[in-house]
Amino acid sequence: MALDSQAKKVFKQVGTRPRRPDGVDKVTGRAMYGADATAPGMLFARVLRSPHAHAVIKSIDASAALAQKGVKAVVTSADFGVPEDLFIRDVQDNCMARGKVLYDGHAVAAVAAVSDAVAKQALKLIKVDYQVLPHVTDVDEAMKPGAPVVQQGRTEENVGPGFSENVTTYCEFGHGDLVAGFAKADRILERSFKTAATHQGYIEPHACLASVTSDGKADLWCCTQGQFHVRNVCAEIMGMESSQLRVTASEIGGGFGGKTTVFIEPVALALSRKTGRPVKMVMSREEVFRATGPTVSSSMDVKIGMTRDGRITAAEAHLRYQGGAFPTGTVTMGGQSAFAAYDLEAVRTYGWNVMTNRPKEAAYRAPGAPMAIYAVESVVDEFCQHFGLDPLDVRLMNAAKKGTRSSYGPTFDAIGLIATLEAAKAHPHYTAPLGPNQGRGLSCGFWFNFGGNTCVTLNVNSDGTIGVTEGNPDIGGSRASISLMAAEELGIPYDKVRTIVADTNSIGYNDITDGSRVTFSVGLATIQSARNAIKVMCARAAKIWGIDEDAVIWEDGAAKPSGPNAGDFEPMTLAEIAAVSAETGGPIAGHHEVNADGAGVSFGVHLADVEVDPETGATKVLRYTVFQDAGRAVHPDYVEGQMQGGAAQGIGWALNEEYIYGKDGRLQNAGFLDYRVPVASDLPNIDTVILEIPNPGHPYGVRGVGETPIVPPLAALSNAVSRAVGVRMHELPMSPPKLLKAMNGKG
Amino acid sequence: MKNIPVSTTINGDPIEFLCGPDETLLEVLRNRLGLTGAKEGCGTGDCGACSVTLNGRLVCSCLVLGAEAEGGEISTVEGLAAGDALHPLQQAFIDHAALQCGVCTPGILVAAKSLLDKNPNPTETEIRYWLAGNLCRCTGYDKIIKAVQIAAEEMRSA
Ligand code: FES
Ligand code: FES
């Protein structure tokens, strides 16, 4: 498919800011989220969770709960089989502990009852006999030989000796001669960093409504980033055929990666099967914190060599990520992205994934990248301070560009890093004056972006309107962007198109809404669907005119003879062709199925001004500007929205957010009061500058934009704080007490 | 525990319901009355997704008991529009992309309206502090604050 040969340069609608199709529903309270659905005869379910970080489940006695009036069923791991597939088994064991609880908050049993109150009451009557085991929650501790082992037999072969069994995988990336590179440096810095685990913090807790009927069919309504993934996992766990389990994605109240996995759905399905009634299950906020995916916490060492004029001669990083009680692969993406912004002759990253007694990590916006890049960008900034160099000039001097062999292998095609850095340099923010206790920091950010399996159907209705059916939950306005691309390609107004997100029985398989893939992949499939529909419409016009199909072209929403030789016919608009479709061969549609590749990487640069209160150590963000390459901003409002939202989450990560575990291995701050995400009064306006360096892999040049913006804030703020108070922090978050201690310690 | 009969006015309509003595107003609205516009983001008063007004006062409905609403006037997001006509805040939120996932939006709209009822011309700082009890994880607040400013201006000139 030679998409680039058909690349479009001039746009009539792409790049405008029309109203989103789900806007009215969402401002009137009508939009249906996970917890908003009900079904006749519905039961309410609640989950009993472990109070221990690590313990053997010796027995579970649910008889008293079952004897309670209104309690209809209890399920435990005994109600599930043992899946052969290791991935599925891990998902299931995370949904319901089997034999051992692996973290504080791990599910051990669930109740379905006639009301939520009865279900909650019944939880208290379930007796679980635990044998408490030693636990470990810190990544460095967990790696040491002799550490309590979370799960046995999960270590892959390439993990070298000298570690505990908690270390599951090892990875290594890079090229060039490090020894020779470091020998060329005027100075070498070696620094160690730690970052805390943070939670995605979506405002909508996980929720679902499961309905299994006695003939083996089931319907599942849930808030998820991927209904097809939920279907596949749940069908396997429940021993069902895919076609019999229809999963409908509700409107989704935020995900950020955290709703790419399955936490409650199999349990609700099992309860529904057992009771023969629909079962609704909604997590509390405390459950969301204790039992759903935070991101990894990390411990990292970075070594960089630089010449005094700012050229990096060699770079190396050791990354250790803990991803909770199950094996994860996140460090791979950290290892690949750590030095992605740099054009380096000698570079190497080494990474270890580690298990601890914490909830299983889930993807969080650019998973694995923010912490690694934070460490690298902190060291680069320290060099700039040391040599007295301009931090943007140093990035520009070392920046990756088209043709650069990336630190993780592939050679970059057209990328926007240099343009983004130059935009930052030219922006008034960069040279604005600063006051006392204030500092300015910056950092680059990067994300790969995904493509993946995608299906789109585009129906041409007989009244000349368009229905686009896609299969990816709309997280931040993607239906508007998809409609825009359909309208653009067809040459009809935006409001003639309505895009919907279909259930798993209404369209073919789609990968999860993740990796910033939707505007790219679904957009690509939509454009191709439109082109296929146009082909049909041109053929219909040709038939009506009695000329050759090849003699018809499509322009401005109408079929036209390709030239005077083709014949003299008035153009036929889409609506005119659609109106007579029954007489020319039947309904008209276009569809496209693809495993899309060619997702272009996206780079960003953030500038942050902070002021640190010398009395309290509290950091206030005064000014913030995001620069990012979007390839092509289809709906700029929602591109800016991604940039602003990602920045805000990164600011929270840098300054306040962290999972705090007690000595007992229990999470101490499982609520929004003690796990503090940024509120409106914490933040300034977040300015945005969109760069458009077209991605050659997409017909309109689109790159994913959603994930890159969470990456730079970590180092941008740490670098700003360092310049404001003269102390460099090597640990996130830079919460006031920690920062104050460091400031007082500098003497 | 016996249920309690409660008489209220919700979005201008007389509504009677029965609720348990420990049932929150949010549970009543969502589970008994089908008004699912108010969301439960935390159930502990920390996120504002459940914001409604009770007798003109902005409250977290997860912290109010259903029984406390006896004789009271409740306004929810479902009552913000006048029939077909969206409230200027609702229109501004759509026009200026002040929502992404939209789950915080009902609470933020109710809270913003309650601000503008008291103070038709708030500064940016006043808006930020007033909305500090309403978490939004998607937007970084930037477009929300601007939409409230635009709606306020429009309402002043109307
Ligand atoms: S649900 Fe009431 S404040 Fe969060
Ligand atoms: S728009 Fe998603 S939480 Fe505000």
Side-chain angles (χ1 to χ4, degrees):
Chain A
M1 181 177 50
L3 279 173
D4 33 344
S5 67
Q6 301 172 55
K8 220 174 135 118
K9 296 275 176 311
V10 187
F11 295 95
K12 290 194 172 135
Q13 304 195 59
V14 161
T16 62
R17 302 172 187 242
R19 292 172 183 160
R20 61 193 286 164
D22 51 331
V24 174
D25 282 345
K26 286 184 174 169
V27 300
T28 54
R30 239 176 286 185
M32 297 280 287
Y33 293 83
D36 296 340
T38 50
M42 180 176 92
L43 300 173
F44 295 80
R46 284 280 166 185
V47 175
L48 182 69
R49 298 186 178 277
S50 165
H52 304 294
H54 197 191
V56 174
I57 303 171
K58 290 169 71 183
S59 66
I60 301 176
D61 178 3
S63 52
L66 284 165
Q68 190 79 356
K69 260 207 187 103
V71 173
K72 298 295 176 187
V74 173
V75 294
T76 66
S77 67
D79 293 272
F80 297 90
V82 182
E84 263 169 48
D85 181 286
L86 209 49
F87 170 78
I88 300 284
R89 194 193 302 172
D90 279 351
V91 173
Q92 182 185 305
D93 288 350
N94 194 32
C95 291
M96 194 56 75
R98 193 163 47 88
K100 227 168 67 149
V101 291
L102 303 175
Y103 55 91
D104 165 49
H106 201 167
V108 292
V111 181
V114 290
S115 75
D116 195 31
V118 174
K120 274 185 194 157
Q121 202 56 38
L123 291 186
K124 297 187 188 140
L125 300 173
I126 300 176
K127 289 192 208 77
V128 185
D129 189 10
Y130 294 104
Q131 180 199 332
V132 176
L133 300 170
H135 65 270
V136 63
T137 54
D138 177 78
V139 61
D140 293 318
E141 291 302 318
M143 291 176 78
K144 288 182 187 155
V149 173
V150 180
Q151 288 194 50
Q152 273 163 341
R154 303 305 299 266
T155 302
E156 287 181 8
E157 272 169 22
N158 67 349
V159 175
F163 298 113
S164 81
E165 268 193 84
N166 294 321
V167 181
T168 53
T169 44
Y170 169 74
C171 62
E172 193 179 320
F173 299 95
H175 57 257
D177 184 343
L178 283 179
V179 177
F182 282 120
K184 281 189 245 169
D186 290 317
R187 187 179 168 89
I188 294 169
L189 287 178
E190 286 188 74
R191 297 287 180 259
S192 296
F193 298 87
K194 279 202 153 200
T195 63
T198 56
H199 196 277
Q200 296 82 353
Y202 32 81
I203 305 302
E204 180 200 28
H206 299 263
C208 70
L209 174 57
S211 180
V212 182
T213 48
S214 54
D215 59 357
K217 293 195 188 63
D219 276 283
L220 179 65
W221 160 274
C222 59
C223 63
T224 175
Q225 290 176 239
Q227 63 272 46
F228 292 91
H229 176 71
V230 172
R231 187 219 28 211
N232 289 359
V233 168
C234 290
E236 183 116 15
I237 289 174
M238 300 296 294
M240 295 178 71
E241 288 173 359
S242 293
S243 60
Q244 301 308 313
L245 174 58
R246 181 171 69 148
V247 182
T248 306
S250 69
E251 290 295 337
I252 178 170
F256 316 109
K259 290 178 184 165
T260 57
T261 185
V262 165
F263 294 111
I264 53 173
E265 291 80 359
V267 181
L269 284 164
L271 284 167
S272 177
R273 181 184 273 175
K274 214 167 175 175
T275 57
R277 288 170 66 170
V279 171
K280 177 166 171 170
M281 188 178 264
V282 181
M283 274 192 176
S284 68
R285 176 57 52 184
E286 187 191 333
E287 289 180 283
V288 171
F289 275 114
R290 285 171 73 207
T292 71
T295 184
V296 300
S297 66
S298 71
S299 161
M300 304 169 290
D301 311 314
V302 170
K303 178 178 175 186
I304 295 177
M306 194 185 269
T307 61
R308 62 173 54 83
D309 62 351
R311 181 70 190 139
I312 299 173
T313 60
E316 187 183 28
H318 292 77
L319 311 173
R320 299 169 292 273
Y321 288 6
Q322 74 71 28
F326 295 85
T328 61
T330 305
V331 90
T332 303
M333 291 180 282
Q336 292 178 328
S337 55
F339 294 104
Y342 295 101
D343 184 355
L344 301 173
E345 259 173 40
V347 57
R348 205 80 84 244
T349 55
Y350 314 89
W352 292 266
N353 283 303
V354 184
M355 291 185 294
T356 62
N357 294 111
R358 293 186 183 219
K360 180 176 192 288
E361 169 238 347
Y364 181 19
R365 221 167 186 155
M371 45 296 259
I373 291 176
Y374 151 70
V376 169
E377 290 292 274
S378 295
V379 176
V380 171
D381 196 59
E382 191 180 336
F383 271 117
C384 297
Q385 286 170 306
H386 176 80
F387 286 130
L389 298 169
D390 178 282
L392 275 176
D393 287 344
V394 169
R395 265 97 179 171
L396 277 164
M397 186 187 301
N398 295 285
K401 48 193 163 297
K402 185 172 178 169
T404 292
R405 179 178 180 192
S406 70
S407 54
Y408 58 97
T411 298
F412 285 130
D413 202 326
I415 55 171
L417 178 59
I418 288 188
T420 310
L421 288 162
E422 280 170 349
K425 201 164 180 204
H427 195 278
H429 182 169
Y430 194 53
T431 47
L434 289 165
N437 302 314
Q438 297 180 358
R440 175 168 302 135
L442 66 92
S443 169
C444 296
F446 160 85
W447 185 243
F448 310 89
N449 296 327
F450 301 170
N453 294 294
T454 311
C455 296
V456 167
T457 295
L458 183 149
N459 290 306
V460 180
N461 301 318
S462 57
D463 65 352
T465 60
I466 301 295
V468 177
T469 306
E470 52 131 330
N472 279 100
D474 177 351
I475 277 197
S478 59
R479 275 165 292 193
S481 302
I482 302 308
S483 292
L484 265 173
M485 286 187 266
E488 179 79 49
E489 194 63 30
L490 293 167
I492 59 169
Y494 167 80
D495 57 16
K496 297 276 180 231
V497 184
R498 180 162 180 187
T499 299
I500 64 130
V501 178
D503 64 64
T504 53
N505 282 54
S506 303
I507 193 161
Y509 178 84
N510 282 272
D511 282 339
I512 299 171
T513 295
D514 70 353
S516 302
R517 69 174 221 94
V518 174
T519 311
F520 169 76
S521 306
V522 180
L524 183 148
T526 301
I527 293 164
Q528 206 56 46
S529 298
R531 288 177 183 173
N532 292 336
I534 287 170
K535 230 183 252 160
V536 178
M537 290 188 284
C538 287
R540 299 292 176 89
K543 196 170 173 184
I544 292 168
W545 293 330
I547 63 175
D548 206 46
E549 277 179 35
D550 296 341
V552 180
I553 55 161
W554 189 263
E555 232 177 60
D556 295 331
K560 293 176 184 167
S562 58
N565 292 343
D568 186 17
F569 303 101
E570 279 295 300
M572 276 190 88
T573 64
L574 182 146
E576 288 164 350
I577 296 169
V580 297
S581 60
E583 289 93 69
T584 58
I588 299 170
H591 60 97
H592 191 66
E593 295 77 29
V594 65
N595 188 354
D597 55 17
V601 302
S602 174
F603 286 95
V605 177
H606 292 199
L607 288 183
D609 293 359
V610 302
E611 180 169 321
V612 180
D613 184 334
E615 303 286 313
T616 63
T619 302
K620 176 98 189 148
V621 183
L622 302 173
R623 184 170 182 181
Y624 205 96
T625 311
V626 177
F627 305 82
Q628 193 180 321
D629 171 19
R632 174 79 56 203
V634 177
H635 193 309
D637 274 346
Y638 295 106
V639 173
E640 292 163 5
Q642 290 298 315
M643 291 158 71
Q644 292 165 330
Q649 287 184 318
I651 290 169
W653 198 336
L655 296 181
N656 277 308
E657 295 179 33
E658 67 181 309
Y659 263 49
I660 301 170
Y661 279 91
K663 281 211 166 61
D664 57 0
R666 302 195 63 187
L667 183 61
Q668 295 190 328
N669 58 338
F672 278 137
L673 189 61
D674 300 315
Y675 181 97
R676 200 169 177 294
V677 308
V679 303
S681 55
D682 291 335
L683 297 174
N685 286 334
I686 297 171
D687 291 328
T688 53
V689 177
I690 301 174
L691 286 293
E692 294 189 305
I693 290 84
N695 166 24
H698 186 278
Y700 291 177
V702 169
R703 296 174 194 273
V705 294
E707 284 164 292
T708 301
I710 201 174
V711 178
L714 281 60
L717 288 186
S718 187
N719 294 342
V721 164
S722 154
R723 285 159 191 269
V725 298
V727 185
R728 181 160 289 282
M729 301 296 286
H730 297 94
E731 207 176 310
L732 297 183
M734 299 178 288
S735 50
K738 268 195 244 166
L739 184 52
L740 197 60
K741 198 168 155 211
M743 285 157 67
N744 291 338
K746 81 175 164 174
Chain B
M1 280 184 290
K2 265 184 84 182
N3 280 341
I4 302 166
V6 180
S7 306
T8 57
T9 305
I10 302 182
N11 299 327
D13 297 327
I15 305 276
E16 295 183 356
F17 57 82
L18 282 175
C19 75
D22 56 352
E23 213 171 313
T24 67
L25 177 59
L26 178 62
E27 287 168 327
V28 169
L29 291 170
R30 291 181 52 83
N31 301 337
R32 294 193 184 259
L33 304 178
L35 292 170
T36 54
K39 306 297 177 197
E40 179 172 319
C42 67
T44 52
D46 300 313
C47 77
C50 63
S51 298
V52 302
T53 60
L54 175 59
N55 299 323
R57 204 162 65 89
L58 180 65
V59 295
C60 293
S61 61
C62 70
L63 297 184
V64 176
L65 291 173
E68 288 180 76
E70 169 62 33
E73 289 216 18
I74 298 162
S75 301
T76 72
V77 69
E78 287 92 346
L80 213 48
D84 266 5
L86 294 181
H87 186 278
L89 276 164
Q90 293 173 309
Q91 195 61 55
F93 269 56
I94 297 176
D95 290 349
H96 302 283
L99 55 139
Q100 282 177 33
C101 80
V103 81
C104 68
T105 310
I108 291 189
L109 286 169
V110 168
K113 175 170 184 295
S114 123
L115 168 64
L116 298 187
D117 284 348
K118 284 184 210 347
N119 177 358
N121 193 7
T123 64
E124 185 199 322
T125 306
E126 284 169 336
I127 300 172
R128 286 188 178 275
Y129 277 88
W130 184 270
L131 293 181
N134 290 83
L135 300 181
C136 173
R137 192 59 160 170
C138 297
T139 63
Y141 306 103
D142 190 285
K143 292 187 192 298
I144 291 176
I145 305 301
K146 286 180 180 140
V148 173
Q149 288 172 313
I150 289 166
E153 199 183 316
E154 200 163 296
M155 287 164 70
R156 285 197 307 276
S157 59

